[in-house]
Amino acid sequence: KAGVTQTPRYLIKTRGQQVTLSCSPISGHRSVSWYQQTPGQGLQFLFEYFSETQRNKGNFPGRFSGRQFSNSRSEMNVSTLELGDSALYLCASSSSGSYGYTFGSGTRLTVV
Amino acid sequence: AQKITQTQPGMFVQEKEAVTLDCTYDTSDPSYGLFWYKQPSSGEMIFLIYQGSYDQQNATEGRYSLNFQKARKSANLVISASQLGDSAMYFCAMREGEAGNNRKLIWGLGTSLAVNP
């Protein structure tokens, strides 16, 4: 079966702009989590969506937001981009009752 | 305080030898799960192995085994018969609480493993 698909793979944006990243989970998976990975901070949890509802949220400013659609696809949005938002953004999908998380290949965002 | 500690920023191992990557964790929740992931230079996180806090036996998956010492709060990954393709970053992660309502993973900073031919 198809894995977790993240688009785009690479993105270059200018400070102050906004960006939307997309994540399509494995078919049947209703939970989608987002993580930010930077060399300095490592992997940090952004938020998790389950059945179109945000279930958990990490410690990020309000410029980071997300949503999930009825087909479980999820998007995350970052407004007013800062240089420090440059990172690899990973999403993971999982199914209820399963301990496992399957990750996508990530979107590498560079803010210039 | 760090909840997941990986004390080895970098490790080297000869091909075909075994290597142990260290991970210690800190939680007061009696129910938790421990994960190891591999991240090659392509960026994708590849699941390797899982250990639940109530699991009686150490987890094994092919060449990967997890040395789970609950009292010491350690969950070391053992890779047997290393291969060149094992060269990557390795991350230890923890989920606190039951999996049903909490999908948040807490991560260590990783260990870079290089397998020498």
Side-chain angles (χ1 to χ4, degrees):
Chain A
K1 58 183 176 183
V4 178
T5 303
Q6 289 188 249
T7 56
R9 284 282 279 132
Y10 301 93
L11 208 48
I12 300 175
K13 289 286 188 178
T14 305
R15 269 183 305 174
Q17 287 187 315
Q18 67 101 25
V19 66
T20 299
L21 311 182
S22 177
C23 174
S24 293
I26 289 173
S27 177
H29 285 193
R30 293 161 65 191
S31 169
V32 174
S33 303
W34 288 89
Y35 292 85
Q36 181 196 64
Q37 185 178 23
T38 59
Q41 299 294 320
L43 283 131
Q44 293 185 288
F45 173 78
L46 280 156
F47 28 64
E48 184 232 346
Y49 285 87
F50 180 82
S51 293
E52 302 178 65
T53 301
Q54 187 180 85
R55 193 158 63 171
N56 282 300
K57 189 178 190 303
N59 190 24
F60 278 82
R63 300 185 297 107
F64 292 81
S65 63
R67 59 178 176 168
Q68 187 179 33
F69 301 96
S70 58
N71 63 357
S72 293
R73 189 177 71 86
S74 177
E75 289 181 346
M76 67 163 281
N77 184 277
V78 189
S79 62
T80 319
L81 283 164
E82 300 176 1
L83 295 179
D85 297 333
S86 295
L88 178 67
Y89 290 87
L90 291 161
C91 88
S93 80
S94 58
S95 63
S96 301
S98 164
Y99 62 75
Y101 305 75
T102 304
F103 282 82
S105 297
T107 293
R108 191 167 295 279
L109 171 65
T110 302
V111 182
V112 298
Chain B
Q2 286 276 18
K3 290 209 169 191
I4 297 285
T5 304
Q6 294 181 252
T7 57
Q8 308 150 312
M11 290 280 286
F12 292 92
V13 65
Q14 285 298 124
E15 194 178 6
K16 298 180 185 177
E17 291 185 352
V19 63
T20 298
L21 307 183
D22 296 341
C23 173
T24 57
Y25 60 93
D26 184 26
T27 182
S28 57
D29 201 313
S31 177
Y32 53 88
L34 297 159
F35 300 77
W36 276 93
Y37 281 87
K38 170 185 177 182
Q39 187 179 42
S41 56
S42 60
E44 182 179 0
M45 281 292 181
I46 301 168
F47 168 76
L48 297 177
I49 198 165
Y50 169 81
Q51 180 84 43
S53 59
Y54 296 120
D55 293 344
Q56 294 296 311
Q57 294 189 322
N58 288 344
T60 60
E61 291 281 356
R63 295 187 299 113
Y64 304 106
S65 60
L66 201 151
N67 184 1
F68 182 45
Q69 298 189 44
K70 196 169 181 176
R72 297 180 59 187
K73 292 189 175 178
S74 76
N76 299 338
L77 176 71
V78 180
I79 305 175
S80 63
S82 297
Q83 301 172 356
L84 296 178
D86 293 336
S87 294
M89 284 292 292
Y90 287 80
F91 291 93
C92 179
M94 175 175 66
R95 183 210 71 244
E96 291 180 302
E98 296 293 333
N101 294 323
N102 176 23
R103 311 305 285 185
K104 171 185 174 181
L105 290 176
I106 303 164
W107 299 80
L109 293 178
T111 295
S112 177
L113 177 67
V115 180
N116 298 323

